[in-house]
Amino acid sequence: MAMMKTKLIILLAVLFVFVAADAQNTPKAQLIYCSCAETPHGIPDKGKDYYELIADMGKTPKVVKCTDAGTPLETKQEHNVTADDVKRMQQLLEDLDAGSLNGYNKEDMMAGGHSYRVYMEYADGQKINATWYTHEPKALAVRTYNTILKNLSDFFVKGSQSKEGQIKRIRELYAKAKEMVAANGKGSIGPRDMTITLNDGTQVDEDFIINEESEMKFYFKKKNEPTSYIIDPTSVCYFMTEYFTAHGHERERELLFDPEDGHLLFAFSRSVTDAGYVTEVRNYFDAAGRRIEHKSKAGIDKLVDVDDDAEEVADEASDQEFAKQCLDIFEMMVNTKDAEQKATNVKTTPKAERLKMIRSAYTNAKNKVTKNSKSELPRDMRIVIHDQLAEDYPPVTDDIKLYFEPDTKHDDGSNHCYFISEQRNSMYFKEYSELLPDPDDHRLIFSFTQTLEEGETYEWRYYYDENGKCIETKVKSVDDEDEGDSGLDDKGRYGRYIKVFDILAN
């Protein structure tokens, strides 16, 4: 009898062990937080990446995505989710019995690799924490990490793809861009911006002058901020503004570009007539260029919403066209994207006659520049670019001036650029250049460059025929040799400048 009682106790004990082993360890209280994080080791300037679900009681739940946490490259975005999303996440964790991972910590002696963490909090105060840095983690740890990662990233993507999610992100990026504009040039990095001013006046009669003035400002950042071993000069424009005035009329514009891939996200315009009538238009765009939201207001003393369905398509096309022009200008001037130049094969004049014509055209152009500087109705364009490759590199300033006049050879109201000058300065060098277009068209006929560097002066002069071929070279450098360049760099810069001039002045 005693033996049977002993066996019964042992059987009950064994049964209890099996029941306990099968019990759920994941809390049943409401989930208020969960996250998954991955931290790389041995990679310079690379920080922790993580997703987190924040579902505090009484607050709208949200998913946060953070990359390179704790580094200067840190980016953080968030989107709201629903209470049902939180319940679904909690059910998935219960189905996995993720709570049984609490306290799991495995760390091997590894060089490089990635460490991982999953973490959960519940409304009753219970917490679940697991970390590992190993080639052979527990299978449940990997499944839990992947489950959290997949579902939180799905919530994030779905939120960003909805109209509300996209508009929310655009407004967040707009606020961030405004902060970056305000801080431009105030930190350890010099200013990164480009300003283009244009004066183009018309004298209707002795008593009536219309002077059109415009200013465009581009703000940019490096596409890939430098690491200890990579320097990428490519820049990305994230914000630009335009101000235009003519005979009492004013227009202001703002364009917001995606800081990652550069497409148009938001366009704002505000126009004021000489009678004081104000129109404001706001357009929001998705990654495919489709407008997802349109708002328009107008009035004199008070702005009211306007139902302008008939003009919406035109507004949308106008914004996209203007944005494309702005990005084309930015790519040519800041990223020095080549502008296509048409090759010609026309009959050329004798060298002596050509050189005489070029010197005469140069003198006439310089006289016009002097006259323009004293005129009450100047016609010129100025492009100033501030850039800095990286914190350890010196800031560089480009100051380019283009002078023009009405093109009397064509009855289409176009302008002809007759002279371009450029100054390029940094703490290590100073450079001055002149570029002379043909009086009859926009082909380059002469270029001059003078560089002051380390106490030395270098000069290059190139004269070109009707097909752009260098026919005369005068070089003052260390070895007084041209090194076979024949003005190739000058022709490339000139092509970009004239293309930008045609976009803005013609």
Side-chain angles (χ1 to χ4, degrees):
M1 185 71 168
M3 186 177 293
M4 290 179 63
K5 187 175 182 180
T6 302
K7 289 181 179 180
L8 181 59
I9 293 173
I10 293 174
L11 288 172
L12 289 172
V14 171
L15 180 61
F16 176 77
V17 169
F18 278 113
V19 172
D22 192 51
Q24 285 279 322
N25 293 289
T26 303
K28 299 292 185 180
Q30 181 176 327
L31 178 71
I32 59 173
Y33 181 89
C34 78
S35 66
C36 62
E38 176 184 3
T39 304
H41 298 275
I43 302 178
D45 303 321
K46 177 64 179 171
K48 177 173 66 176
D49 296 342
Y50 66 82
Y51 279 92
E52 61 181 357
L53 170 64
I54 303 173
D56 295 325
M57 304 290 286
K59 296 183 179 180
T60 302
K62 62 183 179 181
V63 173
V64 177
K65 174 187 177 182
C66 183
T67 59
D68 294 317
T71 75
L73 302 179
E74 177 178 319
T75 61
K76 186 178 287 188
Q77 297 172 279
E78 63 181 52
H79 284 292
N80 292 339
V81 295
T82 67
D84 288 339
D85 293 329
V86 178
K87 290 179 180 178
R88 180 172 178 270
M89 187 74 251
Q90 180 166 359
Q91 187 60 54
L92 290 170
L93 294 173
E94 286 184 17
D95 293 343
L96 286 170
D97 193 17
S100 61
L101 280 175
N102 190 34
Y104 173 65
N105 179 28
K106 185 174 182 181
E107 186 170 341
D108 297 340
M109 298 298 293
M110 296 169 55
H114 297 248
S115 59
Y116 298 87
R117 183 192 187 207
V118 294
Y119 180 73
M120 288 144 266
E121 288 186 13
Y122 292 82
D124 61 358
Q126 295 189 70
K127 300 176 182 179
I128 299 169
N129 184 44
T131 60
W132 60 96
Y133 181 43
T134 175
H135 289 303
E136 298 180 352
K138 183 182 290 188
L140 179 58
V142 175
R143 288 199 302 271
T144 302
Y145 180 91
N146 289 338
T147 298
I148 296 175
L149 175 64
K150 180 183 184 305
N151 285 274
L152 294 193
S153 62
D154 282 350
F155 291 154
F156 192 90
V157 170
K158 290 176 182 176
S160 65
Q161 289 177 343
S162 68
K163 175 182 173 180
E164 293 75 14
Q166 291 181 77
I167 292 176
K168 181 175 183 293
R169 176 175 178 264
I170 290 171
R171 287 172 176 161
E172 290 171 349
L173 289 175
Y174 180 87
K176 179 64 175 177
K178 284 287 195 175
E179 291 177 3
M180 294 172 66
V181 168
N184 182 50
K186 295 181 180 179
S188 58
I189 298 291
R192 288 172 174 164
D193 55 50
M194 175 172 65
T195 303
I196 303 177
T197 55
L198 177 64
N199 296 299
D200 186 6
T202 302
Q203 185 168 351
V204 179
D205 55 43
E206 292 183 359
D207 300 320
F208 185 36
I209 293 176
I210 299 177
N211 191 19
E212 297 183 1
E213 300 177 3
S214 65
E215 179 183 84
M216 303 171 72
K217 292 188 72 73
F218 298 74
Y219 299 90
F220 56 90
K221 65 183 185 69
K222 293 305 171 186
K223 184 174 183 179
N224 298 302
E225 288 296 336
T227 67
S228 57
Y229 55 90
I230 296 177
I231 300 293
D232 184 353
T234 308
S235 298
V236 176
C237 178
Y238 61 86
F239 195 73
M240 74 83 56
T241 63
E242 181 206 39
Y243 175 76
F244 171 84
T245 179
H247 193 55
H249 298 271
E250 297 181 4
R251 181 183 69 234
E252 298 175 62
R253 276 177 164 176
E254 292 181 347
L255 297 182
L256 174 69
F257 299 99
D258 192 292
E260 300 303 322
D261 56 27
H263 68 267
L264 179 65
L265 289 174
F266 173 71
F268 166 76
S269 64
R270 184 177 191 271
S271 301
V272 184
T273 68
D274 56 358
Y277 188 79
V278 179
T279 303
E280 290 186 356
V281 178
R282 291 169 174 83
N283 288 319
Y284 299 77
F285 298 90
D286 64 14
R290 297 181 294 262
R291 186 169 56 191
I292 56 175
E293 181 76 353
H294 170 83
K295 294 181 181 295
S296 181
K297 294 185 177 183
I300 296 181
D301 297 325
K302 181 180 179 181
L303 301 185
V304 297
D305 292 335
V306 176
D307 183 9
D308 56 356
D309 291 340
E311 299 180 3
E312 284 188 19
V313 175
D315 288 343
E316 179 179 358
S318 175
D319 286 341
Q320 292 289 358
E321 181 180 355
F322 180 62
K324 183 181 183 305
Q325 286 184 344
C326 291
L327 290 178
D328 286 344
I329 291 169
F330 177 80
E331 288 298 317
M332 285 186 284
M333 296 304 304
V334 177
N335 288 328
T336 62
K337 178 183 177 182
D338 289 338
E340 184 179 353
Q341 301 179 57
K342 294 182 179 179
T344 59
N345 186 21
V346 300
K347 183 179 180 180
T348 60
T349 56
K351 179 179 176 180
E353 183 179 338
R354 180 70 175 177
L355 292 177
K356 182 180 178 180
M357 185 278 290
I358 291 174
R359 292 186 178 111
S360 175
Y362 179 85
T363 300
N364 290 336
K366 293 288 279 188
N367 289 337
K368 290 179 182 179
V369 169
T370 301
K371 184 179 179 181
N372 183 80
S373 65
K374 301 175 182 179
S375 173
E376 295 182 0
L377 193 64
R379 288 189 173 94
D380 51 46
M381 181 189 300
R382 185 179 183 185
I383 305 173
V384 179
I385 305 172
H386 300 109
D387 199 359
Q388 186 173 359
L389 188 60
E391 187 171 355
D392 296 333
Y393 287 70
V396 177
T397 299
D398 268 328
D399 191 344
I400 305 149
K401 295 180 180 178
L402 300 92
Y403 301 89
F404 60 91
E405 60 191 356
D407 189 347
T408 57
K409 296 177 177 61
H410 299 88
D411 189 22
D412 56 2
S414 61
N415 290 309
H416 175 258
C417 177
Y418 59 82
F419 194 77
I420 302 173
S421 66
E422 177 182 15
Q423 295 186 62
R424 183 175 175 85
N425 299 314
S426 83
M427 64 183 294
Y428 296 125
F429 67 87
K430 289 185 178 181
E431 187 172 281
Y432 173 75
S433 300
E434 294 179 345
L435 301 166
L436 179 67
D438 192 300
D440 294 326
D441 54 40
H442 277 158
R443 287 178 293 183
L444 180 65
I445 62 174
F446 171 73
S447 63
F448 164 74
T449 302
Q450 181 186 76
T451 299
L452 306 178
E453 186 175 352
E454 297 180 350
E456 298 289 339
T457 301
Y458 310 103
E459 293 182 353
W460 296 264
R461 288 175 173 83
Y462 300 105
Y463 300 78
Y464 308 94
D465 68 10
E466 289 85 344
N467 295 313
K469 180 181 177 181
C470 183
I471 57 173
E472 179 79 356
T473 301
K474 294 184 178 181
V475 177
K476 179 185 176 183
S477 64
V478 177
D479 52 10
D480 290 336
E481 291 184 4
D482 178 37
E483 299 180 353
D485 178 78
S486 298
L488 184 63
D489 181 65
D490 293 351
K491 288 187 282 189
R493 295 197 332 277
Y494 176 78
R496 294 194 297 271
Y497 299 164
I498 284 296
K499 180 66 173 179
V500 170
F501 172 79
D502 282 334
I503 291 174
L504 295 178
N506 285 325

